[in-house]
Amino acid sequence: MTLQYRFGAEGDLTAPSEDRLTVGDPRMVDFLAKLARRLLAPAVARRHPELGSLGYFLRPAELNRSVERMTARRDALVFPRGNVFHLPPANVDTIFVYSWAISALAGNHNVVRISSRSAGAAEVILDALNETEADPVIGRTQRMVTYGHDDAITAALSRWCDLRVIWGGDHAVDTIRAQPLRPSARDLTFPDRTSWAVLSVPGWRAADPAARRNAVVGFANDAYWFDQAACSSPRTVFLVGGGSDTGAVRAEFLDLLLGVVDQRGWTVDPAMAVEKRVNAYGLAATGAATTLDFPDNRITAVTLAGTEQAPRRWIGAGAFPFAEVDSLLDLVPAMNRQDQTVSHFGFTPAELRAFAVELGGRGVDRIVPFGSALTFGAIWDGYDLPSEFTRLTTLQP
């Protein structure tokens, strides 16, 4: 059966009753679990390590946890939100699957616009989706589409949807919002965000060599996957509580980082290396940076004049400004609502909790260990996504 979608006078996308999905629909759980197995295949994971994380996210155990989050209510019945229109960014190949999968698991009908600039891992994912055996209802209710900058199509899909999910930065959010939604619909937006890394100098000194190297491996994954352009990739490294020992720790950290980059065979395009130099010299020219270090095309190290000079814009892949502070709490005044993830190493749970409490929700949505910055979760940018993709009906007998 081929479902013929049509846009009615109110912009509704109609579908036969047999295509209704439920929250945690077993047909969708089965499909996503099969997709996970394809993405976790050794041949796929070797070529695209980031797909291993995605496959892990789609394992049955994780899917069941998400369903439990959606349905664990005693005061209301939980239903799908309805029709969801996703507009993911082009620079992070996997994000569209996370967004779509949670929405599909919630039983929604989904249309996902895939950028024509997407390549590499995105193509592998789309091939896996097409090759995964599915109940026919999956194909009739889930759409991955590509089209150019066509306001008419975006406007029609915006009128159709009950929820519009916009990724990709402030400009993308403002541009898409120019297309109106029906009065009962709303937007879920993911605008420009900035993320940081914090390294405790005493904690580094107390760690053994294996722990230090593992921390750097995790940091490298956070930074180099997606060319440091992901919203949760660290833009600046803050060295905390070091005193006179900070320089030696920074040097050891960078040496280990270069070793990991060598081992992984990661490269930076020459044009990217030039762009990083231009941006680094720009920081020096404005007084934001006091020293620059270019040990390799793949690593650019910048010493900042102070925490307030930490750049929120993307400088280039493998660009690491450094700043020094006496304690985590000294960073609180520099944080704002644009800040998303703080990845950390060497701190005690009490120190991290005190930092989060002092922030008080005014900035920073995630505080995670090195290596977990890119690990997607059901709570993202402060949103509880399983809740966002469902709706509630209260029932009082």
Side-chain angles (χ1 to χ4, degrees):
M1 171 183 174
T2 300
L3 176 63
Q4 299 297 321
Y5 287 108
R6 67 175 177 82
F7 289 97
E10 298 299 322
D12 293 327
L13 189 59
T14 60
S17 59
E18 63 266 25
D19 285 342
R20 291 175 186 160
L21 298 169
T22 59
V23 175
D25 196 294
R27 296 167 294 181
M28 186 60 70
V29 172
D30 178 67
F31 176 73
L32 293 174
K34 290 176 180 175
L35 176 63
R37 287 195 289 272
R38 287 186 177 274
L39 298 178
L40 289 169
V44 174
R46 279 195 300 268
R47 283 189 297 140
H48 299 283
E50 66 271 31
L51 297 188
S53 297
L54 176 57
Y56 186 88
F57 180 80
L58 297 176
R59 292 179 312 131
E62 293 297 320
L63 297 176
N64 290 333
R65 273 192 280 271
S66 291
V67 173
E68 289 173 6
R69 288 179 64 88
M70 295 175 189
T71 57
R73 298 194 66 102
R74 298 180 182 272
D75 57 346
L77 303 175
V78 185
F79 297 102
R81 173 71 61 179
N83 299 328
V84 182
F85 179 28
H86 306 255
L87 296 111
N91 63 340
V92 182
D93 289 342
T94 59
I95 199 69
F96 77 91
V97 186
Y98 290 105
S99 175
W100 162 75
I102 296 176
S103 180
L105 195 61
N108 295 305
H109 290 208
N110 293 279
V111 173
V112 184
R113 181 187 181 237
I114 307 297
S115 171
S116 59
R117 293 184 287 123
S118 296
E123 292 181 350
V124 173
I125 293 167
L126 292 172
D127 287 342
L129 284 165
N130 287 326
E131 294 166 2
T132 301
E133 181 183 359
D135 186 286
V137 71
I138 306 299
R140 294 196 298 265
T141 60
Q142 312 300 314
R143 290 284 191 270
M144 307 284 173
V145 302
T146 297
Y147 62 89
H149 294 288
D150 191 318
D151 288 345
I153 297 175
T154 300
L157 288 167
S158 295
R159 290 193 301 271
W160 161 78
C161 71
D162 299 292
L163 180 67
R164 184 169 58 183
V165 185
I166 311 172
W167 303 76
D170 295 354
H171 178 71
V173 171
D174 290 341
T175 299
I176 302 293
R177 275 181 165 169
Q179 303 298 337
L181 298 167
R182 67 175 77 183
S184 61
R186 63 187 181 83
D187 283 324
L188 182 62
T189 61
F190 298 90
D192 287 331
R193 305 304 302 271
T194 304
S195 295
W196 317 105
V198 293
L199 188 155
S200 168
V201 174
W204 177 271
R205 284 302 189 202
D208 61 38
R212 295 178 190 178
R213 188 180 186 283
N214 288 338
V216 174
V217 169
F219 176 88
N221 290 338
D222 293 342
Y224 284 88
W225 284 0
F226 311 118
D227 291 331
Q228 210 174 341
C231 59
S232 52
S233 294
R235 298 282 174 86
T236 292
V237 180
F238 295 105
L239 301 169
V240 182
S244 60
D245 206 21
T246 301
V249 168
R250 168 177 154 162
E252 183 183 1
F253 179 85
L254 289 172
D255 284 344
L256 287 171
L257 181 60
L258 185 56
V260 172
V261 171
D262 277 334
Q263 184 180 25
R264 296 290 179 86
W266 284 329
T267 60
V268 172
D269 183 87
M272 177 77 71
V274 171
E275 182 176 357
K276 284 196 299 179
R277 279 184 176 263
V278 171
N279 289 331
Y281 284 125
L283 291 172
T286 60
T290 58
T291 62
L292 308 175
D293 186 17
F294 305 99
D296 188 280
N297 269 357
R298 296 162 296 177
I299 294 179
T300 298
V302 177
T303 302
L304 297 175
T307 57
E308 72 282 357
Q309 302 295 342
R312 283 189 157 78
R313 63 186 177 87
W314 182 74
I315 297 175
F320 304 110
F322 285 85
E324 301 176 16
V325 291
D326 291 331
S327 76
L328 274 180
L329 298 184
D330 292 335
L331 290 176
V332 170
M335 302 288 106
N336 63 36
R337 285 300 306 145
Q338 183 179 331
D339 300 322
Q340 186 212 62
T341 299
V342 169
S343 54
H344 61 82
F345 177 77
F347 296 93
T348 66
E351 288 175 308
L352 297 171
R353 181 175 180 82
F355 176 56
V357 169
E358 189 65 23
L359 284 166
R362 297 186 301 276
V364 181
D365 298 313
R366 304 170 66 233
I367 301 173
V368 300
F370 281 5
S372 297
L374 300 180
T375 301
F376 195 87
I379 297 177
W380 194 260
D381 276 16
Y383 295 119
D384 185 340
L385 294 182
S387 295
E388 297 290 338
F389 287 121
T390 54
R391 60 182 298 118
L392 305 177
T393 297
T394 57
L395 174 63
Q396 296 180 346

